[in-house]
Amino acid sequence: MARGLWQSGLADWYGPGTPVVQRVRGYRPNRRGQIKLGRWMRVGLLRGVSGVAACVALIVGVNPSVDGVDRALVCALALIWASLLWRCSLIRVVLRPGEIVRHGVWRHVVVPCSDVNVLHRDSWRGGLVLETHTGETIDFLWFDKSLWDVLYDFSDVCTDAMRSHARVASMGGQTEMPAGLQRRFTWSVGADPLAAAAAICLGLALLAAVRG
């Protein structure tokens, strides 16, 4: 799949001709045969801030000088922010054999390559939109137009990669699967435990307030 993608358009040039940028743009599938497209600088920043918020909750939680109700509320608030920021870092596009998967904050959409009709720019907002043969649209607005595009045109890379992937999958006979989009809730190993911990802290705050 990587060879097909590379020969179908990803070898074209975007941005300054430096070896570092060329290496970063050289997307290759992982062990599962998937190619992940994401703004990794933003992902790292969001997850770093999420980790800081979780550490704040831990520090406050073990501080005996803070009142029990206030301590639980502060921990819950910090953990809620940590969970939300981690969820925001999940935004990405995954190219799987025969499928294009767009991951959002809460849900991910699985689009069979056989359903892809066209990828185009929305005339009103200007963002990237995938349109299926049945007329359904998938918005990729969050993947477009960032400062990172000045050095590394991820918006164009993402567009070309999805177009090439759909074309290669069709030529390779990988589109023989039940048609139709699938929208599913995205479970997160990072965000969900943080959300559960926030719920526990809220419960402890409520219990402490009732007893007080």
Side-chain angles (χ1 to χ4, degrees):
M1 183 172 65
R3 184 180 180 184
L5 279 174
W6 191 256
Q7 292 179 345
S8 299
L10 289 186
D12 296 338
W13 184 244
Y14 305 88
T18 63
V20 174
V21 174
Q22 288 181 344
R23 185 175 182 84
V24 170
R25 287 186 56 255
Y27 286 102
R28 293 293 184 270
N30 57 21
R31 294 179 180 179
R32 297 182 179 180
Q34 303 175 350
I35 295 178
K36 296 182 179 180
L37 304 172
R39 297 192 187 280
W40 304 116
M41 185 177 296
R42 182 170 62 187
V43 169
L45 178 62
L46 287 172
R47 294 192 177 183
V49 176
S50 175
V52 170
C55 289
V56 169
L58 181 61
I59 292 172
V60 173
V62 298
N63 188 353
S65 62
V66 183
D67 181 69
V69 177
D70 293 339
R71 182 169 55 196
L73 287 176
V74 171
C75 288
L77 183 61
L79 289 171
I80 288 172
W81 273 108
S83 178
L84 181 59
L85 290 171
W86 192 279
R87 280 208 161 271
C88 289
S89 74
L90 299 177
I91 296 174
R92 65 188 185 277
V93 177
V94 179
L95 307 180
R96 301 196 305 216
E99 297 176 336
I100 296 174
V101 186
R102 188 209 68 175
H103 288 264
V105 177
W106 303 105
R107 297 190 305 173
H108 63 276
V109 183
V110 181
V111 185
C113 290
S114 58
D115 279 13
V116 177
N117 181 27
V118 65
L119 278 153
H120 62 90
R121 296 285 169 181
D122 186 273
S123 58
W124 179 53
R125 289 177 297 179
L128 181 63
V129 174
L130 184 153
E131 184 177 339
T132 67
H133 292 294
T134 58
E136 295 185 85
T137 57
I138 307 299
D139 196 330
F140 293 86
L141 186 63
W142 286 22
F143 296 92
D144 273 341
K145 300 177 182 177
S146 75
L147 293 176
W148 187 235
D149 284 345
V150 175
L151 298 176
Y152 168 52
D153 295 338
F154 177 79
S155 301
D156 290 331
V157 171
C158 186
T159 304
D160 286 355
M162 287 191 287
R163 285 174 177 162
S164 301
H165 181 65
R167 181 166 59 250
V168 170
S170 178
M171 294 172 57
Q174 298 177 348
T175 59
E176 297 179 1
M177 60 181 61
L181 304 182
Q182 300 177 24
R183 291 181 170 86
R184 304 170 183 170
F185 179 77
T186 300
W187 299 98
S188 171
V189 177
D192 293 340
L194 292 171
I200 292 173
C201 288
L202 287 174
L204 292 174
L206 180 60
L207 182 61
V210 171
R211 288 183 176 180

